[in-house]
Amino acid sequence: MGDPSNTLPRLNPHIAALPLYNAGMNIAVARRVSGIDDIAALASNENPYGCSPAVKSVLAQLDPSRYADPACVTLRAALGRKLDTAPERIVVGNGSEEMIAAVCRAVLRPFATVVTLVPGFGLHEIESQANGAKVVKVGMTKDLAFDVDAIIQALRKKPAILFLSSPSNPVGPAVDSEALSRIIAAVPKETLLLLDEAYFEFSDETTPDGLKALADADISYVVLRTFSKAYGLAGLRVGYAVTSDERLARAISSAKTPFNVNGAAQLAAVAALQDETWMRQAVTAMKAERDRMAGRVAALGMFAPKSQTNFLFLDIGSDSMSAFDHFLSAGIIVKPWKENGFESFIRVTVGLPSDNDRFLDALARFKGDASAVSVGL
Ligand SMILES: Cc1ncc(COP(=O)(O)O)c(C=O)c1O
């Protein structure tokens, strides 16, 4: 038998060196590891209420034998009407994560620099590195607010892309109108602003709508939104990019695979847009639960920045992996944070009230155990 390493092709060094994406643990794996059947999946910011019933009925119309429309014409027209934007400026992706990859592929040249935030959403860094770019990370303030001055400072170096997730994953806050205007005004013509609004629907009423804030701005931008969170379609993979210019949209389209959004996803997204009342009810319920959880977390004396998303980022005061094990042993999946300097944080998704209660009880036990250890009991 030959040596299998002899058959390894020469890999693209940018790809071979990529860090792994820190995906939440899968429910089947959690069942196997914990031996518990009833898992509370609170790691991936999904919608615990599922999706609109209109989505389920429209899926019966699917003809799996046909290729889906590669241009997503019906969905882009519906999005154009909703957002008051020309469909030619919209590109639909296999999740908004595919749009992050396609934007990087369309825009980045070898040795380009991009700016992202820390803590931040892993794919902003990973997709940039995959395209050979150097990633500069701007920290948040000590109390985990956006450091607008530091972002503006980083823009002076004219990076190819500024990635800004607002509301922030994993931290939770959103930039306010004044901060967003200052950032937009500081974006040089060489820089593309990628405003990732995956959690837009969960934000406060006073938080600016990025698309409106950018409408008259004379800069290149992409605003990302998704059907995975508020609309409850994470499993179907559909998100979209709204661009500042049709030519940018065409370049991003060329950088994706032609039949990237499958037929079920296209039908489902159109049906979901026709039933926004359902989405708004689910979001209202999740926001109320988020605020209830935040109150209990604060009462336990733990720090979690005020969230405008469907999750909380909390400092559990000890190693996030030991907390992950503690929650898993109670049948609860949370996301242990691993970025440098944030290894004592976990991110927990707002689930159904009963799952949130399980989490809060397990959190109180974790806190009790930790203080028992610290006083030497
Ligand atoms: C900030 C942010 N952007 C993009 C995505 C990608 O979402 P999707 O590909 O499901 O649309 C996520 C998913 O968690 C996210 O948190």
Side-chain angles (χ1 to χ4, degrees):
M1 224 169 78
D3 176 353
S5 63
N6 290 339
T7 60
L8 190 67
R10 278 182 62 201
L11 299 174
N12 174 341
H14 299 307
I15 301 293
L18 287 182
L20 276 186
Y21 177 65
N22 176 17
M25 183 180 263
N26 169 281
I27 294 180
V29 176
R31 281 197 184 113
R32 205 169 57 238
V33 177
S34 68
I36 297 172
D37 197 47
D38 179 18
I39 296 292
L42 304 181
S44 300
N45 306 338
E46 296 143 336
N47 187 332
Y49 298 99
C51 61
S52 156
V55 167
K56 294 200 179 133
S57 47
V58 84
L59 288 178
Q61 292 171 14
L62 180 69
D63 179 355
S65 68
R66 297 287 174 195
Y67 281 100
D69 172 11
C72 298
V73 169
T74 309
L75 176 53
R76 280 171 48 239
L79 286 168
R81 282 192 297 277
K82 171 184 160 68
L83 304 170
D84 195 18
T85 302
E88 291 74 18
R89 284 174 42 204
I90 301 174
V91 188
V92 185
N94 189 270
S96 56
E97 65 182 18
E98 190 202 19
M99 292 293 93
I100 297 171
V103 168
C104 288
R105 200 167 159 205
V107 168
L108 295 178
R109 295 158 190 238
F111 311 113
T113 299
V114 308
V115 171
T116 178
L117 267 53
V118 59
F121 181 55
L123 289 181
H124 295 166
E125 178 177 2
I126 290 174
E127 296 299 350
S128 299
Q129 288 176 341
N131 287 280
K134 177 175 164 245
V135 179
V136 173
K137 296 190 190 181
V138 173
M140 297 186 78
T141 62
K142 256 204 158 103
D143 53 354
L144 292 185
F146 289 94
D147 190 341
V148 179
D149 290 337
I151 295 171
I152 290 173
Q153 179 73 26
L155 283 169
R156 298 215 170 99
K157 295 252 166 72
K158 303 182 175 161
I161 304 178
L162 165 66
F163 290 94
L164 183 64
S165 104
S166 176
S168 153
N169 179 10
V171 185
V175 283
D176 62 22
S177 293
E178 195 211 330
L180 185 56
S181 303
R182 286 183 61 207
I183 292 169
I184 293 172
V187 172
K189 66 177 186 330
E190 295 82 356
T191 300
L192 172 87
L193 171 63
L194 188 144
L195 182 61
D196 188 338
E197 292 191 331
Y199 301 93
F200 171 70
E201 293 83 357
F202 300 97
S203 61
D204 295 352
E205 266 166 32
T206 52
T207 291
D209 171 331
L211 281 172
K212 291 195 178 132
L214 282 158
D216 297 322
D218 201 14
I219 63 168
S220 301
Y221 65 82
V222 168
V223 175
L224 295 183
R225 299 227 178 127
T226 182
F227 286 90
S228 297
K229 313 294 178 185
Y231 293 91
L233 299 182
L236 285 177
R237 316 301 307 122
V238 53
Y240 56 95
V242 183
T243 67
S244 47
D245 188 298
E246 284 177 31
R247 289 163 300 177
L248 176 57
R250 268 202 300 279
I252 295 168
S253 264
S254 306
K256 67 175 186 60
T257 56
F259 293 98
N260 59 331
V261 186
N262 69 62
Q266 293 190 37
L267 283 172
V270 171
L273 288 177
Q274 285 163 356
D275 189 11
E276 295 230 319
T277 308
W278 183 94
M279 181 275 284
R280 274 192 290 271
Q281 279 168 358
V283 166
T284 302
M286 281 184 269
K287 284 169 74 168
E289 274 298 285
R290 174 191 72 199
D291 295 344
R292 178 177 79 90
M293 290 168 81
R296 284 279 301 277
V297 167
L300 285 170
M302 290 183 178
F303 169 61
K306 185 178 171 329
S307 173
Q308 295 197 36
T309 65
N310 63 339
F311 56 79
L312 296 176
F313 190 53
L314 57 129
D315 188 351
I316 38 88
S318 51
D319 172 45
S320 64
M321 278 314 292
S322 65
F324 172 82
D325 290 341
H326 166 83
F327 288 108
L328 189 58
S329 69
I332 302 160
I333 317 174
V334 298
K335 194 145 173 180
W337 217 253
K338 294 177 183 166
E339 269 178 304
N340 233 337
F342 297 92
E343 298 95 336
S344 67
F345 281 78
I346 59 167
R347 197 193 66 194
V348 58
T349 303
V350 176
L352 292 173
S354 54
D355 286 342
N356 301 335
D357 284 339
R358 271 171 77 184
F359 167 76
L360 291 166
D361 290 347
L363 184 67
R365 286 198 300 280
F366 184 78
K367 166 91 179 166
D369 291 351
S371 17
V373 169
S374 69
V375 295
L377 291 178

